[in-house]
Amino acid sequence: MNRIGYGAMQLAGPNVWGPPQDPEAARRVLRLAVELGVTFFDTANAYGPRVVNQLIGEALRPFPDGVIVGNKVGAGRGPDGSWIITDHPDTVRAQVHEALADMGTETSELTYLRLPGDLPGTHTDVPLEESLGVLVELREQGLIRRIGLSGASPELLARAQEMTPIAAVQNRFNLLDRSGVQVLEACEKQGVMFVPYFPLASGRLAGYAEPAGPAQRLGVTPAQVALAWLLRRSPAMVVIPGTANPAHLRANVAAAGIAADLTDDEVARLTGLVDESQATLGQPHQSTLDALTAAAERHAGDVR
């Protein structure tokens, strides 16, 4: 698998709501990603809602060999466009079927269950065993091949693994936010793929010397350095930067070739931007809360 994937959230309309202004341009970006060698796509029923999954189906089906689409269920949108947890078993089951219909496929290669563990102020009264149990049931029926978690704590990951193998975990992690570091460590030990969302810190890297220095030396952008650092930070990482801009997409994919060019000293300085020993899941730094807001408002060029 190419370790630079594609996060499709930005293909929806403003505030990740409704269709994009130019749906065909969105479909061209998806096809370009495949042409550039991208094999992992990240999406969710909540993007649109359902709009992005429909665009993926229209652009890519039948999915090329080797292409995996990871789709999140268990999250939705409120009437005001807010992001909410929707993990009642009946809703989770319905969302899986909706995603299959929207993408025009009979089986989901990877379905994540969205958990509230990494977002402050969110919670659920549904036991993990009930919501995750639906995905296990659907996998046994052949509708899902792999199960993942999004927004998991190490404790929730361990509980989930008592029920089923977990193929991937998606949590926040980037140069400015290491709140998912404990989950990353668990994934590394167990051979689970770790998919950091907001890998570019929602465009908040400007003004930091640590990525700017290597970028100048290599003739690349700080954003490319940030993606390359993630690949160097852990072999478990598969990174999913998102953009609706073809030029940005090309630059993001090219970041894979930069990772080996970062010196060990540069990697150490980038890692030292944040004290990972103080990182706490579910209590992000204010810059991360700002980034979440910015992503929803579509102010950043490369959010996810």
Side-chain angles (χ1 to χ4, degrees), residues 40-260:
F40 184 73
F41 292 78
D42 176 80
T43 183
N45 289 54
Y47 299 165
R50 300 182 63 178
V51 168
V52 171
N53 283 351
Q54 292 165 3
L55 290 169
I56 289 172
E58 293 161 1
L60 301 184
R61 71 171 174 258
F63 296 138
D65 290 342
V67 167
I68 293 176
V69 178
N71 181 66
K72 288 180 290 296
V73 298
R77 307 296 291 276
D80 59 351
S82 59
W83 301 83
I84 58 176
I85 298 296
T86 55
D87 59 350
H88 186 279
D90 290 344
T91 304
V92 170
R93 181 176 290 103
Q95 288 181 335
V96 171
H97 284 282
E98 288 171 355
L100 293 175
D102 290 342
M103 288 188 273
T105 184
E106 295 181 353
T107 304
S108 168
E109 291 292 336
L110 172 64
T111 295
Y112 295 98
L113 178 65
R114 186 59 167 108
L115 304 172
D118 67 341
L119 291 175
T122 58
H123 71 282
T124 177
D125 295 324
V126 179
L128 172 67
E129 290 73 14
E130 292 185 13
S131 52
L132 184 61
V134 172
L135 299 190
V136 173
E137 173 190 333
L138 295 176
R139 187 192 59 209
E140 292 172 349
Q141 295 174 8
L143 299 182
I144 294 172
R145 286 205 172 92
R146 304 174 185 88
I147 294 173
L149 303 176
S150 179
S153 65
E155 295 76 18
L156 286 174
L157 173 59
R159 279 176 60 189
Q161 288 173 318
E162 293 177 358
M163 297 178 58
T164 180
I166 297 298
V169 173
Q170 184 183 95
N171 276 49
R172 286 194 324 277
F173 196 90
N174 56 57
L175 271 175
L176 305 182
D177 179 355
R178 313 292 172 80
S179 59
V181 67
Q182 294 176 329
V183 187
L184 170 61
E185 292 171 355
C187 289
E188 290 173 333
K189 292 176 181 177
Q190 300 170 33
V192 175
M193 185 171 74
F194 185 86
V195 184
Y197 73 83
F198 294 140
L200 291 175
S202 294
R204 296 286 202 260
L205 299 174
Y208 286 89
E210 288 81 0
Q216 184 175 14
R217 180 180 69 82
L218 296 171
V220 299
T221 67
Q224 288 176 302
V225 169
L227 294 175
W229 170 79
L230 283 167
L231 298 182
R232 287 285 295 273
R233 174 62 182 77
S234 172
M237 296 273 193
V238 174
V239 188
I240 50 167
T243 181
N245 183 308
H248 290 174
L249 172 60
R250 293 180 185 276
N252 290 342
V253 174
I258 297 167

